[in-house]
Protein backbone atom coordinates (compact mmCIF):
# COMPACT_ATOMS: atom_id res chain seq x y z
CA UNK A 1 0.00 0.00 0.00
CA UNK A 2 1.34 3.48 -0.81
CA UNK A 3 2.68 5.51 2.07
CA UNK A 4 0.86 8.73 2.91
CA UNK A 5 2.09 12.23 3.77
CA UNK A 6 5.65 12.07 2.38
CA UNK A 7 6.91 14.55 -0.21
CA UNK A 8 8.50 13.12 -3.34
CA UNK A 9 12.26 13.05 -3.60
CA UNK A 10 13.99 14.50 -6.66
CA UNK A 11 14.15 11.04 -8.24
CA UNK A 12 10.47 10.44 -7.54
CA UNK A 13 9.59 13.78 -9.17
CA UNK A 14 11.52 12.80 -12.27
CA UNK A 15 9.65 9.48 -12.30
CA UNK A 16 6.36 11.37 -12.06
CA UNK A 17 7.32 13.48 -15.08
CA UNK A 18 8.22 10.38 -17.09
CA UNK A 19 4.81 8.87 -16.32
CA UNK A 20 3.07 12.07 -17.35
CA UNK A 21 5.06 12.41 -20.56
CA UNK A 22 4.19 8.81 -21.44
CA UNK A 23 5.84 6.05 -23.37
CA UNK A 24 4.76 3.89 -26.28
CA UNK A 25 1.06 4.57 -25.78
CA UNK A 26 1.38 8.36 -25.80
CA UNK A 27 1.05 11.07 -23.23
CA UNK A 28 -1.28 11.21 -20.28
CA UNK A 29 -4.14 13.57 -21.05
CA UNK A 30 -5.74 15.93 -18.57
CA UNK A 31 -9.50 16.30 -18.86
CA UNK A 32 -10.75 19.58 -17.43
CA UNK A 33 -14.45 20.21 -16.88
CA UNK A 34 -15.27 23.82 -17.73
CA UNK A 35 -18.95 23.64 -18.65
CA UNK A 36 -20.88 24.95 -15.66
CA UNK A 37 -22.93 28.12 -15.33
CA UNK A 38 -21.12 29.46 -12.22
CA UNK A 39 -24.18 31.26 -10.90
CA UNK A 40 -22.67 31.92 -7.49
CA UNK A 41 -20.03 34.10 -9.14
CA UNK A 42 -22.57 36.49 -10.60
CA UNK A 43 -22.20 39.21 -11.79
CA UNK A 44 -18.80 38.05 -13.12
CA UNK A 45 -20.33 35.10 -14.97
CA UNK A 46 -23.12 37.04 -16.65
CA UNK A 47 -21.04 37.90 -19.71
CA UNK A 48 -18.20 35.36 -19.63
CA UNK A 49 -17.77 31.82 -18.27
CA UNK A 50 -16.47 31.18 -14.78
CA UNK A 51 -13.14 29.61 -15.92
CA UNK A 52 -12.19 32.96 -17.51
CA UNK A 53 -12.58 34.87 -14.23
CA UNK A 54 -9.27 36.60 -13.51
CA UNK A 55 -6.96 35.87 -10.61
CA UNK A 56 -3.69 37.79 -10.68
CA UNK A 57 -4.30 38.86 -14.30
CA UNK A 58 -4.82 35.31 -15.55
CA UNK A 59 -8.02 33.26 -15.92
CA UNK A 60 -8.64 30.55 -13.33
CA UNK A 61 -8.41 27.92 -16.06
CA UNK A 62 -4.99 29.15 -17.15
CA UNK A 63 -3.70 28.64 -13.61
CA UNK A 64 -5.06 25.08 -13.71
CA UNK A 65 -3.45 24.31 -17.08
CA UNK A 66 -0.10 25.70 -15.93
CA UNK A 67 -0.15 23.52 -12.80
CA UNK A 68 -0.46 20.45 -15.01
CA UNK A 69 2.17 21.76 -17.38
CA UNK A 70 4.64 22.05 -14.49
CA UNK A 71 4.57 18.26 -14.03
CA UNK A 72 4.98 17.50 -17.74
CA UNK A 73 1.38 17.16 -18.92
CA UNK A 74 1.01 18.85 -22.29
CA UNK A 75 -2.25 17.52 -23.76
CA UNK A 76 -5.67 18.64 -22.58
CA UNK A 77 -9.32 17.94 -23.25
CA UNK A 78 -11.43 20.87 -22.10
CA UNK A 79 -15.16 20.24 -21.83
CA UNK A 80 -17.13 23.43 -22.34
CA UNK A 81 -20.79 24.33 -22.02
CA UNK A 82 -22.00 27.73 -20.87
CA UNK A 83 -20.42 30.38 -23.13
CA UNK A 84 -17.96 27.73 -24.28
CA UNK A 85 -17.04 29.69 -27.39
CA UNK A 86 -15.35 32.30 -25.17
CA UNK A 87 -13.06 29.67 -23.61
CA UNK A 88 -12.14 28.25 -27.00
CA UNK A 89 -11.51 31.72 -28.40
CA UNK A 90 -9.22 32.62 -25.48
CA UNK A 91 -7.12 29.44 -25.36
CA UNK A 92 -7.36 28.32 -28.98
CA UNK A 93 -5.32 25.20 -29.68
CA UNK A 94 -3.10 25.86 -26.64
CA UNK A 95 -0.02 26.89 -28.61
CA UNK A 96 0.30 30.17 -26.71
CA UNK A 97 0.83 28.13 -23.54
CA UNK A 98 2.92 25.53 -25.42
CA UNK A 99 0.35 22.80 -24.87
CA UNK A 100 -2.23 21.01 -27.05
CA UNK A 101 -5.91 21.58 -26.32
CA UNK A 102 -8.85 19.62 -27.70
CA UNK A 103 -12.43 20.64 -26.99
CA UNK A 104 -15.62 18.74 -26.27
CA UNK A 105 -18.96 20.48 -25.96
CA UNK A 106 -21.66 19.55 -23.46
CA UNK A 107 -24.89 21.36 -24.32
CA UNK A 108 -26.55 19.52 -21.41
CA UNK A 109 -24.13 20.88 -18.79
CA UNK A 110 -27.07 21.70 -16.50
CA UNK A 111 -27.57 17.94 -16.04
CA UNK A 112 -24.47 17.60 -13.86
CA UNK A 113 -20.69 17.39 -14.12
CA UNK A 114 -20.73 13.66 -14.88
CA UNK A 115 -22.46 14.43 -18.19
CA UNK A 116 -19.63 16.85 -18.95
CA UNK A 117 -17.08 14.11 -18.39
CA UNK A 118 -19.11 11.84 -20.69
CA UNK A 119 -18.70 14.42 -23.46
CA UNK A 120 -14.92 13.79 -23.42
CA UNK A 121 -15.21 10.04 -24.00
CA UNK A 122 -14.82 10.17 -27.78
CA UNK A 123 -11.48 11.97 -27.41
CA UNK A 124 -10.01 9.19 -25.26
CA UNK A 125 -8.93 5.69 -26.22
CA UNK A 126 -11.00 2.82 -24.85
CA UNK A 127 -8.24 1.71 -22.50
CA UNK A 128 -6.85 5.15 -21.70
CA UNK A 129 -5.99 6.33 -18.21
CA UNK A 130 -6.52 10.07 -17.75
CA UNK A 131 -6.28 12.69 -15.04
CA UNK A 132 -9.42 14.69 -14.33
CA UNK A 133 -9.78 18.13 -12.80
CA UNK A 134 -12.31 20.91 -12.52
CA UNK A 135 -11.68 24.23 -14.27
CA UNK A 136 -12.42 26.15 -11.07
CA UNK A 137 -10.12 24.21 -8.73
CA UNK A 138 -6.76 25.83 -8.11
CA UNK A 139 -4.11 23.36 -7.00
CA UNK A 140 -0.40 23.05 -6.36
CA UNK A 141 1.87 20.95 -8.54
CA UNK A 142 2.56 18.75 -5.49
CA UNK A 143 -1.03 17.56 -5.54
CA UNK A 144 -0.74 16.48 -9.18
CA UNK A 145 2.67 14.89 -8.55
CA UNK A 146 1.18 12.95 -5.67
CA UNK A 147 -1.59 11.55 -7.87
CA UNK A 148 0.82 10.63 -10.68
CA UNK A 149 3.15 8.91 -8.25
CA UNK A 150 0.36 6.40 -7.61
CA UNK A 151 -0.90 6.14 -11.18
CA UNK A 152 -0.75 2.34 -10.95
CA UNK A 153 -3.33 2.53 -8.14
CA UNK A 154 -5.99 4.17 -10.29
CA UNK A 155 -8.85 4.71 -10.21
CA UNK A 156 -8.16 7.15 -7.42
CA UNK A 157 -9.47 10.37 -5.97
CA UNK A 158 -7.22 12.90 -4.26
CA UNK A 159 -8.46 13.46 -0.72
CA UNK A 160 -7.47 16.10 1.81
CA UNK A 161 -7.65 14.59 5.30
CA UNK A 162 -6.68 17.88 6.95
CA UNK A 163 -8.28 20.63 4.85
CA UNK A 164 -6.85 24.09 5.46
CA UNK A 165 -9.29 26.15 3.45
CA UNK A 166 -11.43 28.83 5.16
CA UNK A 167 -14.25 27.59 7.38
CA UNK A 168 -16.90 28.94 5.00
CA UNK A 169 -15.94 26.18 2.55
CA UNK A 170 -16.59 23.17 4.78
CA UNK A 171 -20.35 22.96 4.31
CA UNK A 172 -19.96 23.25 0.52
CA UNK A 173 -17.28 20.57 0.28
CA UNK A 174 -17.79 17.06 -1.04
CA UNK A 175 -16.96 14.83 1.91
CA UNK A 176 -15.20 11.48 1.72
CA UNK A 177 -15.08 8.61 4.17
CA UNK A 178 -11.71 6.85 3.85
CA UNK A 179 -11.35 3.42 5.41
CA UNK A 180 -8.38 2.19 7.42
CA UNK A 181 -7.18 0.36 4.28
CA UNK A 182 -6.91 3.65 2.36
CA UNK A 183 -9.90 3.10 0.08
CA UNK A 184 -13.01 5.24 -0.33
CA UNK A 185 -16.00 3.93 1.60
CA UNK A 186 -18.43 6.78 0.93
CA UNK A 187 -18.56 10.15 -0.82
CA UNK A 188 -21.03 13.02 -1.06
CA UNK A 189 -21.86 16.48 0.23
CA UNK A 190 -24.30 15.23 2.88
CA UNK A 191 -22.85 11.92 4.07
CA UNK A 192 -23.09 11.62 7.88
CA UNK A 193 -19.62 10.21 8.51
CA UNK A 194 -16.51 11.53 6.82
CA UNK A 195 -12.83 12.12 7.50
CA UNK A 196 -11.65 13.85 4.34
CA UNK A 197 -12.62 16.16 1.51
CA UNK A 198 -12.70 15.52 -2.24
CA UNK A 199 -10.25 17.94 -3.90
CA UNK A 200 -11.66 17.48 -7.42
CA UNK A 201 -8.57 15.71 -8.78
CA UNK A 202 -8.95 12.14 -10.06
CA UNK A 203 -7.02 9.48 -11.97
CA UNK A 204 -9.57 7.43 -13.88
CA UNK A 205 -10.01 4.94 -16.68
CA UNK A 206 -12.81 4.12 -19.10
CA UNK A 207 -14.82 2.23 -16.46
CA UNK A 208 -16.21 5.59 -15.31
CA UNK A 209 -18.03 6.00 -18.64
CA UNK A 210 -19.87 2.70 -18.20
CA UNK A 211 -21.19 3.93 -14.87
CA UNK A 212 -22.21 7.30 -16.29
CA UNK A 213 -24.12 5.56 -19.09
CA UNK A 214 -25.92 3.39 -16.53
CA UNK A 215 -26.91 6.24 -14.23
CA UNK A 216 -27.66 9.16 -16.53
CA UNK A 217 -31.05 7.73 -17.48
CA UNK A 218 -32.01 7.49 -13.80
CA UNK A 219 -30.44 10.56 -12.20
CA UNK A 220 -30.72 14.22 -13.13
CA UNK A 221 -28.50 15.97 -12.31
CA UNK A 222 -25.78 13.34 -12.31
CA UNK A 223 -22.62 14.19 -10.38
CA UNK A 224 -19.22 12.56 -10.33
CA UNK A 225 -19.73 11.85 -6.64
CA UNK A 226 -22.80 9.76 -7.47
CA UNK A 227 -20.75 7.82 -10.02
CA UNK A 228 -17.92 7.20 -7.57
CA UNK A 229 -20.46 6.06 -4.97
CA UNK A 230 -21.82 3.59 -7.50
CA UNK A 231 -18.37 2.28 -8.44
CA UNK A 232 -17.35 1.54 -4.85
CA UNK A 233 -20.29 -0.84 -4.50
CA UNK A 234 -18.38 -3.37 -6.58
CA UNK A 235 -14.83 -1.99 -7.04
CA UNK A 236 -12.24 -0.21 -4.94
CA UNK A 237 -11.16 3.39 -5.40
CA UNK A 238 -7.94 4.51 -3.77
CA UNK A 239 -7.99 7.68 -1.66
CA UNK A 240 -4.73 9.44 -2.50
CA UNK A 241 -3.80 11.57 0.51
CA UNK A 242 -2.79 15.08 -0.58
CA UNK A 243 -3.11 16.66 2.86
CA UNK A 244 -0.97 19.74 3.33
CA UNK A 245 -0.96 20.81 -0.31
CA UNK A 246 -2.69 23.96 -1.49
CA UNK A 247 -5.96 23.71 -3.37
CA UNK A 248 -9.06 25.85 -3.56
CA UNK A 249 -12.45 25.35 -5.16
CA UNK A 250 -13.66 28.71 -6.50
CA UNK A 251 -17.41 28.52 -5.96
CA UNK A 252 -18.39 31.83 -4.38
CA UNK A 253 -17.40 35.49 -4.33
CA UNK A 254 -15.71 34.83 -0.97
CA UNK A 255 -13.62 32.08 -2.58
CA UNK A 256 -12.64 34.42 -5.39
CA UNK A 257 -11.61 37.17 -2.98
CA UNK A 258 -9.54 34.68 -0.94
CA UNK A 259 -7.79 33.37 -4.07
CA UNK A 260 -7.03 36.85 -5.35
CA UNK A 261 -5.54 37.81 -2.01
CA UNK A 262 -3.37 34.69 -1.89
CA UNK A 263 -2.12 35.06 -5.47
CA UNK A 264 -1.29 38.73 -4.93
CA UNK A 265 1.27 37.88 -2.25
Amino acid sequence: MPENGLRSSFKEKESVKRKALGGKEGTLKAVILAAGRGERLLPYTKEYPKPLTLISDRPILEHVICSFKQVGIREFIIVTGYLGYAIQRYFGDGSRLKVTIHYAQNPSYHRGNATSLAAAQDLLRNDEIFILSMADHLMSRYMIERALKYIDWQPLVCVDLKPLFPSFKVEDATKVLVGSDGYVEDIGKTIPNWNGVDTGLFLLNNSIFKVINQLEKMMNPLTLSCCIKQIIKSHRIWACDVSGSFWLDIDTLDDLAFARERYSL
Side-chain angles (χ1 to χ4, degrees), residues 3-70:
E3 77 280 8
N4 286 326
L6 299 177
R7 289 188 175 275
S8 301
S9 66
F10 174 78
K11 289 183 179 179
E12 288 172 333
K13 288 182 178 179
E14 289 304 305
S15 175
V16 163
K17 277 198 172 184
R18 285 195 295 273
K19 286 181 178 179
L21 290 170
K24 294 180 180 179
E25 297 186 8
T27 60
L28 181 71
K29 296 184 182 73
V31 177
I32 303 178
L33 305 186
R37 176 71 173 82
E39 292 183 354
R40 288 195 286 175
L41 278 190
L42 286 169
Y44 292 103
T45 53
K46 184 177 181 180
E47 297 184 5
Y48 54 84
K50 180 179 178 181
L52 293 186
T53 305
L54 296 181
I55 294 176
S56 188
D57 298 323
R58 289 195 296 171
I60 298 172
L61 179 52
E62 186 169 336
H63 288 284
V64 176
I65 291 172
C66 288
S67 291
F68 281 111
K69 183 181 171 184
Q70 286 176 347

Side-chain angles (χ1 to χ4, degrees), residues 55-56 166 248 254-265:
I55 294 176
S56 188
L248 181 66
D254 284 336
D255 298 335
L256 181 60
F258 179 81
R260 284 175 168 174
E261 180 180 358
R262 179 184 175 94
Y263 275 74
S264 68
L265 298 177

Side-chain angles (χ1 to χ4, degrees), residues 1-178:
M1 181 181 299
E3 77 280 8
N4 286 326
L6 299 177
R7 289 188 175 275
S8 301
S9 66
F10 174 78
K11 289 183 179 179
E12 288 172 333
K13 288 182 178 179
E14 289 304 305
S15 175
V16 163
K17 277 198 172 184
R18 285 195 295 273
K19 286 181 178 179
L21 290 170
K24 294 180 180 179
E25 297 186 8
T27 60
L28 181 71
K29 296 184 182 73
V31 177
I32 303 178
L33 305 186
R37 176 71 173 82
E39 292 183 354
R40 288 195 286 175
L41 278 190
L42 286 169
Y44 292 103
T45 53
K46 184 177 181 180
E47 297 184 5
Y48 54 84
K50 180 179 178 181
L52 293 186
T53 305
L54 296 181
I55 294 176
S56 188
D57 298 323
R58 289 195 296 171
I60 298 172
L61 179 52
E62 186 169 336
H63 288 284
V64 176
I65 291 172
C66 288
S67 291
F68 281 111
K69 183 181 171 184
Q70 286 176 347
V71 302
I73 293 175
R74 296 287 191 275
E75 190 167 0
F76 297 83
I77 299 169
I78 297 178
V79 182
T80 62
Y82 173 69
L83 297 180
Y85 68 89
I87 294 174
Q88 190 162 353
R89 184 172 59 196
Y90 182 88
F91 289 100
D93 63 1
S95 57
R96 179 177 61 83
L97 298 177
K98 298 182 180 180
V99 299
T100 299
I101 298 178
H102 312 279
Y103 294 92
Q105 175 73 13
N106 178 23
S108 302
Y109 61 87
H110 56 280
R111 295 188 59 218
N113 60 2
T115 66
S116 292
L117 175 56
Q121 183 175 7
D122 289 344
L123 295 175
L124 295 162
R125 296 189 307 272
N126 289 337
D127 60 345
E128 190 166 3
I129 297 168
F130 60 94
I131 192 163
L132 171 68
S133 177
M134 312 299 121
D136 57 358
H137 283 216
L138 299 173
M139 70 193 82
S140 68
R141 64 175 291 170
Y142 167 67
M143 225 169 90
I144 304 170
E145 288 174 338
R146 186 75 175 167
L148 293 178
K149 180 179 178 181
Y150 297 119
I151 193 169
D152 293 334
W153 287 72
Q154 53 73 34
L156 64 79
V157 53
C158 289
V159 177
D160 192 341
L161 300 176
K162 299 176 182 178
L164 301 176
F165 48 57
S167 58
F168 58 77
K169 289 293 297 175
V170 174
E171 64 183 33
D172 290 332
T174 298
K175 286 82 171 176
V176 182
L177 179 62
V178 181

